[in-house]
Amino acid sequence: MTTSTPPGLPRRADAYADLDHVYAQCSGPGGLRLAEHMAEAMGVRPGSTLVDIGANRGLQTCFLAKKYGVTALALDPWDDREDGRPMVEHIVANARDWGVEDRVLALRAGVPDTRLATGSFDFAYSTTALEMIRSLEGAAGYQAALREIHRVLRPGGVFGLGEPMHLDVPIPEDLLPYVTRGEFSWAECFTDLDSTVAEVAEAGFEITHAEYAADATQWWDEFARHDPFAKADPEGDPATLRVDAGRWTSFGVVVARKPG
């Protein structure tokens, strides 16, 4: 893994300390700390092109454009569940607020139906998005999404996947009622790191890095305390995390290269 910031020095995400704002603009755990961790693992470089798959409100996309000098296309097909507006409208507004409107574009599209040209991007980035495809469309849909990401990358391009995952252990009996409830249940969405690595490799990628993130517990704790939907429903995801206590839930990062 490449690291541009020496140990002990401030990280780029440290400048954005209002975690209530960050988590209101990002989905899942990690926020901008995750974006920085991913960018360093991927070796993102200034002047490159990047597609953000499932960008949500695009705060991570804007961070990557501003702090890493990329030109980014943010894809999201959904409407915002808080105000009903298309996510792409939030992405455009955030790009303007961050002063990167000239380097962040937004498109209402998702995988596998991006309709983008083959070999368009140096980097592909996706966090807390593809696991929902696994829930909606099963393993075949998840694999189709990965193959589309492979297609739109240039030969030698790098794909970074950050995804809620579970440890390679059975679901604790007392946790089972929590992770099987509701739409997009964690039991349906999450898988373990080795299984995800195998799926990414099956799509044609060469794996260069895979890990359960060392900061996964901190990111989930931040999510429970700062995500607006988690705060509004303390007996939902926050309760799941309390019962779990780190026994099953984690967060994984996979970095892979398109051969060529």
Side-chain angles (χ1 to χ4, degrees):
M1 180 187 298
T2 59
T3 304
S4 63
T5 305
L9 292 183
R11 308 293 295 182
R12 303 181 202 208
D14 291 346
Y16 306 95
D18 184 352
L19 295 184
D20 283 337
H21 174 73
V22 168
Y23 276 89
Q25 302 295 318
C26 299
S27 66
L32 298 183
R33 303 180 198 279
L34 168 61
E36 180 170 2
H37 185 83
M38 293 281 295
E40 297 294 334
M42 294 165 65
V44 173
R45 60 186 183 273
S48 57
T49 56
L50 178 146
V51 59
D52 186 346
I53 310 292
N56 197 260
R57 289 185 172 185
L59 200 74
Q60 291 179 332
T61 323
C62 295
F63 175 84
L64 295 172
K66 190 175 186 71
K67 295 297 185 178
Y68 288 87
V70 300
T71 297
L73 175 63
L75 304 184
D76 202 295
W78 289 9
D79 293 331
D80 188 271
R81 57 178 175 154
E82 185 173 4
D83 66 12
R85 296 165 58 204
M87 286 296 191
V88 290
E89 293 187 12
H90 287 282
I91 295 167
V92 170
N94 275 321
R96 185 168 55 249
D97 290 344
W98 279 62
V100 292
E101 62 267 39
D102 59 333
R103 285 188 282 122
V104 172
L105 301 175
L107 180 64
R108 187 167 187 169
V111 286
D113 301 317
T114 69
R115 301 188 181 182
L116 298 172
T118 299
S120 294
F121 298 93
D122 301 310
F123 294 94
Y125 171 95
S126 185
T127 63
T128 61
L130 297 191
E131 74 277 3
M132 290 186 285
I133 293 178
R134 182 185 289 113
S135 175
L136 286 169
E137 301 179 22
Y142 189 86
Q143 184 61 209
L146 292 174
R147 290 184 181 275
E148 177 69 356
I149 294 168
H150 184 278
R151 185 186 69 80
V152 302
L153 274 173
R154 294 171 180 162
V158 174
F159 171 43
L161 174 65
E163 193 166 286
M165 296 183 190
H166 64 74
L167 301 174
D168 189 15
V169 296
I171 301 172
E173 186 175 347
D174 60 330
L175 183 63
L176 187 61
Y178 292 85
V179 298
T180 55
R181 63 184 178 179
E183 187 180 18
F184 299 116
S185 74
W186 290 10
E188 290 179 326
C189 290
F190 298 2
T191 189
D192 63 272
L193 182 63
D194 286 346
S195 297
T196 305
V197 164
E199 289 179 288
V200 174
E202 183 182 344
F205 287 102
E206 297 174 348
I207 308 301
T208 61
H209 177 82
E211 62 169 329
Y212 285 113
D215 292 336
T217 299
Q218 177 187 347
W219 294 343
W220 279 112
D221 179 64
E222 289 180 353
F223 169 81
R225 291 186 291 114
H226 297 285
D227 177 84
F229 299 101
K231 289 193 295 182
D233 183 16
E235 294 309 309
D237 291 344
T240 302
L241 293 166
R242 288 195 302 272
V243 172
D244 184 7
R247 293 175 295 164
W248 184 79
T249 305
S250 187
F251 196 96
V253 172
V254 178
V255 179
R257 178 180 176 272
K258 179 176 177 177

